[in-house]
Structure formats: C-alpha cells, structure tokens
Amino acid sequence: MRFLLTDEQREFGRSLDALLTAADTPAVLRAWAAGDHGPGRALWGRLGDAGVFALAVPGAYGGVGPLPVETAVACVELGRHAVPGPVAETLAAGALLAGAGGTAADEWLPGIASGTAVVSLTLEGYGPYAPDADAADAVFTVTGDALRLAPGPGEPSASADPARRLFRPEPGGAPVAKGPAVRAAARAAGDRAAFATAALALGCGEELLRATVAYVKQRTQFGVPVGSFQAVKHRLADTLLGLEFARPLLYGAAVELASESSRPGAGAGSAKGSPGAGAAVAAAKVAAGEAGYAAARTALQLHGAIGYTEELDLAWWLRRARPLRDAWGTPSACRARVLAG
C-alpha cells in the first residue's frame, strides 16, 4: 500500500502555495482584522476557482468531494499562509448540509463549492461560538436534531486571534432540516471541522518554524549567528519532530475519512461519522494542535521581544496557533476521544 502523496496532490499543494504567496496574505489578514473583508473575500474566490472548497462538497451539488487527502493538502497550505475566514467551518458545512438534506443543501452547497459562499457554524459539544460570523453569508446552528439558519451573527466575544473573531449567533431561526439525519450529519461535520483545523494548525506550525530558522541564521550574538548555538538547534529540532510526528497522523485520519466515505451505502445524505475515523481525527487534531502551539512558543522565544510587535508579520501566526489548538476539540477532549475510540 502506498502512503505517499501522488504527484498530482503534490502539484496541487505547490499551486496553492504559489497562489497564496502572490496574494500577500499578511495584508489580507490586517484588512480582515480591521473589518474590511473585501480582500479576504476576493482571495476566497480565487481559492474557489482553484477547487479548494469543492473538495468538501459532493458532486451532486457542484463539488468533487469528499476528498479528505486533498483537503488536508489544501488546508496545510492555507494554514502556512494564515488565510483568514472560517475555512474549517465552511468545509465542514459540506458534510453538514449534504448529510442533513433539505432545501439548504440545494441553496448553499453550490456556492460553497465555487467559493462564493462563506459559511460559519456551531455544533453541540464544540462550544457556542461561530468564528467570523460577521463575514459569513450564512451561520448554521445545530441543536438536538434541528438544523437552523441563524437570524444574525450575534455579539462578538474576545478572541486571541484578531483575525479570527468569535460570535455567539442570535438564537432562533426556523429549522431548515430536522430528524436523525441532522444528528448524524452534525457528528460527521464535527469530524471534518476538527480534521481541517488540524491541517491548518500543522501548516501554521510549519510557517512559524520556517520563519524562526531564517531569523536565527541572520541574528548574531558574540559575532556568530544564534542558530549555531546548540541550545537553539535542540529547540528547533524538537519543534520539527513534533510537526513531523503530526503529519502522518493527519494523513492517516484522511485515509480513515476517505474509507468511511467509500463504504457501501455512503453518499451525500448518509454521513454518519464512524468511531474509528473520529478517533483518528482526534489523534491528528491533538498532535497537530500541540505541535503548532509548540512552534509558536519556540518562535516567540527565539525571536525575542520583536516577536510581540504588531509590525512583524509573524505576530499573526503566533496569535493563531493557540486558538487553532483549542478549536473543534481541545487537547484534553481529543485525548479522551482517542482513548474511547
């Protein structure tokens, strides 16, 4: 059995890297944090044209998915470039709406696939907050066996990441789907959101490590680069090991999710979320989240006081690492799920 990415999957990642490098994501991040969503929405459109969001949407609704491995490739790149917006939530909405059925799937999934619709959501068991709800075209909430379209984004709450604002959606809203299918779809959507967040965290950690290695090569002390000090090398090596340990867990979870989708009887309306896939996703989430946060701590220490400054682009990645670690499953919750699975 082959456990390596194909040439096409690697090329997909390289093409996204080139697209996002040209997009100047630090400038997009600053605009998004200031409430100007125009540059971010334009970037989402280009990502939609590249097929990123279609990966999570079934072919019956204009997508090409679900394709978990390709989704992981894409989200790692989006994490490396700190693309703003509810990326994981929009991708998870593909599983939620397709599995729940009803008119909402026909109304929203084609737009999600094309990148023209930005969606946030909340699910029971994952906290009451919808990231970037003020920038979303729709905010879906699941309570019990009812899927609702929230009437508004609600009031903002404090967030460690200024480019990832949290909102408690306004209560109410007429149900757009009800029944056992909604519960099953919500479980699958929670797994997909955690999986995408794990990939985003891994990419964030990779960029933090890359920037830190570059910095310690050019920063000098006692006439030599600080990167030549053994203690610095050991810290960077530990950070690299954490990220590389998380990577196979992420792609292992992708294989589990792909196997779940290909089982006989699985389809656009039958997403259930298997215990095996859920445990694999939880393992990937805790490993990638902890590795990304460790990379942030290393980056902050080795950059010194400059790491705190607003002017340094790295600060946006530093502020993102911990929220990604805790979103869609805290480390303790993920460890408990792995043990239960």
Side-chain angles (χ1 to χ4, degrees):
M1 182 174 290
R2 181 179 176 86
F3 289 101
L4 298 174
L5 295 177
T6 66
D7 292 340
E8 291 79 7
Q9 289 164 342
R10 293 178 184 275
E11 182 57 34
F12 179 50
R14 287 192 289 267
S15 68
L16 290 178
D17 179 41
L19 184 157
L20 293 168
T21 299
D24 187 18
T25 51
V28 176
L29 275 167
R30 286 184 166 85
W32 190 277
D36 178 7
H37 302 131
R41 292 296 297 256
L43 178 56
W44 272 61
R46 293 196 291 274
L47 291 170
D49 292 340
V52 169
F53 301 106
L55 298 171
V57 176
Y61 300 99
V64 296
L67 294 175
V69 175
E70 287 76 7
T71 299
V73 171
C75 286
V76 168
E77 292 301 326
L78 269 59
R80 284 185 59 235
H81 291 273
V83 171
V87 172
E89 293 73 22
T90 298
L91 291 169
L96 177 63
L97 298 178
T103 59
D106 294 320
E107 182 177 357
W108 290 100
L109 287 178
I112 290 174
S114 66
T116 58
V118 177
V119 174
S120 192
L121 55 83
T122 65
L123 302 174
E124 283 187 316
Y126 291 100
Y129 298 112
D132 297 303
D134 60 330
D137 300 302
V139 180
F140 291 97
T141 65
V142 175
T143 305
D145 63 355
L147 170 64
R148 289 181 168 85
L149 178 61
E155 291 297 319
S157 298
S159 174
D161 182 355
R164 181 183 168 84
R165 301 179 68 198
L166 301 177
F167 291 80
R168 187 187 292 267
E170 292 181 8
V176 295
K178 293 187 73 174
V182 171
R183 289 183 180 271
R187 288 194 297 270
D191 286 345
R192 300 297 171 132
F195 173 70
T197 303
L200 293 169
L202 180 62
C204 179
E206 287 181 349
E207 176 58 21
L208 285 162
L209 178 60
R210 184 208 62 78
T212 305
V213 169
Y215 181 72
V216 299
K217 285 181 178 179
Q218 57 90 22
R219 179 187 171 194
T220 61
Q221 193 172 36
F222 307 117
V224 297
V226 297
S228 65
F229 300 158
Q230 190 174 41
V232 172
K233 290 180 178 179
H234 285 179
R235 185 69 184 268
L236 293 171
D238 289 342
T239 302
L240 176 62
L241 284 174
L243 294 169
E244 291 302 317
F245 177 77
R247 192 185 315 279
L249 291 176
L250 176 68
Y251 286 107
V255 171
E256 286 285 347
L257 290 171
S259 299
E260 176 188 73
S261 300
S262 63
R263 291 191 185 104
S270 61
K272 295 180 180 179
S274 71
V281 168
K285 177 65 172 58
V286 68
E290 294 282 35
Y293 183 50
R297 293 171 62 88
T298 296
L300 184 59
Q301 181 181 23
L302 297 185
H303 275 81
I306 192 175
Y308 287 100
T309 61
E310 287 279 352
E311 293 77 14
L312 187 70
D313 289 344
L314 187 77
W316 296 93
W317 279 258
L318 288 171
R319 294 181 179 185
R320 180 152 292 198
R322 182 161 184 171
L324 287 175
R325 185 195 72 169
D326 295 338
W328 295 105
T330 62
S332 59
C334 288
R335 289 188 177 97
R337 190 172 186 188
V338 171
L339 291 174

